[in-house]
Amino acid sequence: MKLQSRTLQVLDEAEMKAIYESALRVWARVPLRCQGTDEFNDYLSDFGCVIDGDCVTFPKPVRDKVLARIAERREQAGLWRPAEVDSDRITCSASGQALYFCEIDTDTLRPATAQDLADWSRLCDAVPNLQRAHPTFIPQDVPAGSCDVHAFATIMLNSSRPWRVSAYSADMIPYLIELQAIWSGSVDAVKQDPIFATKCWYNSPFMITRENIEIAMAAREALEIGFQISTMPVAGIAVPATLAGALVAITAEAFTCNAITLAIDDRLCGMSAGALTFDMKAGIHTQIGPDVQLLRLGVAQMGAYMFGGSYTAAGTPMTMAKIPGAQSTMEKTIEAMWAACAGIRSFSSLGILACADIGSPVQLMLDLELMSYLERLVKGVTVDEERLAEEVICEVAPTGARFIDQRHTVDHYREELWIPQLMDRRVPMAWAADPTTMVDDARKKARSLLADAPNL
């Protein structure tokens, strides 16, 4: 049987109803501050929104239209429910948009370069089945205004295929399309499956900048796709510090996002919020911790409560550590184990530190070890006649602990028993004779892979 898990639940029906109703009242009272383009504003005005300078309000007829469409979606999807997961396949990806590179041998931090991204691309290709969700490095030795295009071109020149980058300005979208068309064969092929991300990022609380609108509108026209919008609120600074209050604000913002996509494209966008919290001690946002996990689980539940269907938890091996070591290993392991036990089977954030501000080949090796652990965990226990080993037990047990030299062991130990590459399991005095650490071995593995990775 595969490891079976059910998505966790942090809110009950009454609590979700209270958050939902509070969010409706907030939506009715708080305007959206929006630096819209003329085209964007025209869509909202035609939908019934009231625009006064940079303020957009959503009168009751608009709110009723949005709620009616949400109710239709909920009716089609069925009642909210936690997802049940029994997949035995782990997928993982390197990600991040780091400005800094952590040196393999010294842990020294320095600005990331195009060469770092090129080497990283070859390194990722050398790891079987490793995907990429973001470029990991944004080169700092190229013009800032076109760093997204430089990153995309560098990945294409040094990888077996293009991988996703985010467009940082509308002006760069034609160049990103042209680059992908070289690989895809045509602009039409790019429109079918654009690799680069062109979202409008909603700035909590209740703000959207012109630059973000221009990116999503330009992509909508050039790629013939819907207006993409998402939020990344920070509890304690952009939304309330109380998790319940944060969920109210996030849900209210989700209503505005769906009003926008209905106005522009006549479609719902659902609820997408990569929620964070603010560390009052360090004075910085953070993507890890029990508060973040609870908040993101609450967002997932509220999305299912509003739009119907099942939900899964959110989680990935993230860390605030600046170099590979005890903190990065502890934080990433806790985050990943929470996610795996809650039903997550797809993990990003491999190879990154400091909430994606730093990229590290050494950390990538440590993260791959963690993924290997999870891969074995989710496969569970296979019970069949061969693995029950009844005849082997009856034959060998009377002679003592001699299963290690049996053919049955040779045939099955590789798939049944997990063998780490980096974790040190030697007896104490064997280690004392050669006192290397897991991080030491990760450095060695990173150097070796980089040396042998093909230069595409």
Side-chain angles (χ1 to χ4, degrees):
M1 182 177 178
K2 302 167 187 174
L3 180 69
Q4 195 168 51
S5 55
R6 184 173 183 176
T7 299
L8 304 172
Q9 183 175 337
V10 72
L11 301 169
D12 63 26
E13 186 86 20
E15 290 166 336
M16 287 187 287
K17 181 180 179 182
I19 291 168
Y20 182 84
E21 292 177 347
S22 183
L24 285 176
R25 293 190 291 271
V26 169
W27 183 30
R29 295 172 58 190
V30 179
L32 171 67
R33 287 173 289 169
C34 181
Q35 301 165 348
T37 63
D38 290 342
E39 181 185 16
F40 180 89
N41 288 343
D42 287 344
Y43 277 116
L44 267 60
S45 293
D46 291 344
F47 193 65
C49 300
V50 176
I51 300 177
D52 182 9
D54 286 350
C55 284
V56 179
T57 54
F58 302 86
K60 189 176 186 302
V62 171
R63 301 198 303 274
D64 288 344
K65 280 193 288 186
V66 176
L67 293 176
R69 290 290 293 272
I70 290 175
E72 289 177 11
R73 168 79 70 84
R74 187 167 55 245
E75 180 69 23
Q76 293 170 357
L79 295 176
W80 72 273
R81 59 197 181 277
E84 294 189 7
V85 182
D86 64 356
S87 172
D88 67 348
R89 184 168 181 262
I90 292 287
T91 60
C92 56
S93 57
S95 61
Q97 301 177 80
L99 306 183
Y100 301 99
F101 181 86
C102 183
E103 294 281 10
I104 292 177
D105 293 316
T106 64
D107 288 337
T108 302
L109 303 183
R110 58 167 174 75
T113 67
Q115 186 60 53
D116 293 329
L117 180 55
D119 292 341
W120 185 263
S121 297
R122 295 187 297 106
L123 178 62
C124 290
D125 268 4
V127 178
N129 302 317
L130 179 63
Q131 307 293 305
R132 297 177 69 181
H134 277 105
T136 300
F137 294 107
I138 302 300
Q140 300 299 289
D141 57 344
V142 300
S146 58
C147 61
D148 45 2
V149 171
H150 280 276
F152 200 41
T154 302
I155 290 170
M156 292 181 65
L157 289 169
N158 293 276
S159 303
S160 57
R161 53 155 291 183
W163 294 100
R164 185 172 69 170
V165 300
S166 292
Y168 294 150
S169 74
D171 292 341
M172 294 298 106
I173 290 176
Y175 300 103
L176 294 171
I177 292 173
E178 185 176 352
L179 281 171
Q180 187 183 335
I182 295 171
W183 181 78
S184 300
S186 68
V187 172
D188 286 339
V190 177
K191 292 179 180 179
Q192 291 294 318
D193 185 23
I195 295 171
F196 44 89
T198 51
K199 282 185 177 180
C200 170
W201 283 100
Y202 191 111
N203 299 93
S204 300
F206 299 92
M207 295 182 289
I208 309 179
T209 65
R210 187 179 186 89
E211 183 179 44
N212 275 289
I213 292 171
E214 287 175 345
I215 289 173
M217 292 298 287
R220 179 178 179 271
E221 179 180 357
L223 296 171
E224 300 174 7
I225 59 175
F227 186 88
Q228 307 294 313
I229 187 167
S230 190
T231 71
M232 193 171 281
V234 183
I237 188 167
V239 294
T242 57
L243 300 191
L247 288 170
V248 169
I250 292 167
T251 304
E253 290 180 340
F255 284 128
T256 69
C257 290
N258 281 273
I260 289 168
T261 56
L262 279 173
I264 297 175
D265 295 316
D266 192 32
R267 69 175 184 87
L268 295 171
C269 63
M271 186 165 176
S272 173
L276 299 80
T277 61
F278 193 74
D279 187 313
M280 298 295 175
K281 178 181 177 182
I284 191 172
H285 65 276
T286 178
Q287 299 182 42
I288 66 153
D291 47 356
V292 177
Q293 294 285 25
L294 292 170
L295 184 56
R296 291 192 173 184
L297 180 55
V299 168
Q301 273 196 255
M302 287 305 302
Y305 180 81
M306 289 172 63
F307 296 95
S310 64
Y311 70 92
T312 57
T316 197
M318 187 66 73
T319 181
M320 285 296 290
K322 313 310 179 287
I323 61 174
Q327 180 181 339
S328 70
T329 303
M330 176 181 172
E331 288 179 328
K332 290 199 170 212
T333 299
I334 291 173
E335 298 281 309
M337 286 301 297
W338 156 280
C341 291
I344 298 297
R345 297 293 182 264
S346 180
F347 296 86
S348 62
S349 302
L350 272 67
I352 58 174
L353 299 158
C355 282
D357 286 341
I358 301 169
S360 164
V362 176
Q363 188 61 52
L364 177 61
M365 300 302 107
L366 297 171
D367 292 343
L368 290 170
E369 184 95 328
L370 174 57
M371 292 299 106
S372 172
Y373 185 108
L374 296 180
E375 285 172 354
R376 178 61 193 96
L377 187 68
V378 302
K379 288 187 181 298
V381 177
T382 301
V383 179
D384 56 25
E385 185 175 354
E386 170 69 12
R387 287 167 179 78
L388 287 170
E390 183 177 335
E391 290 303 316
V392 177
I393 295 169
C394 291
E395 178 183 340
V396 177
T399 69
R402 294 180 47 251
F403 287 93
I404 196 169
D405 62 5
Q406 299 301 306
R407 182 69 204 183
H408 185 272
T409 301
V410 174
D411 290 343
H412 295 290
Y413 82 89
R414 289 181 180 85
E415 61 185 27
E416 294 279 332
L417 308 180
W418 182 67
I419 304 173
Q421 292 189 17
L422 303 177
M423 295 181 189
D424 194 322
R425 290 176 165 180
R426 295 173 295 170
V427 298
M429 295 317 295
W431 175 85
D434 179 26
T436 58
T437 68
M438 186 176 177
V439 175
D440 293 331
D441 289 339
R443 295 189 205 281
K444 182 178 179 181
K445 182 179 178 183
R447 285 194 298 266
S448 176
L449 279 178
L450 276 172
D452 295 338
N455 189 344
L456 301 174

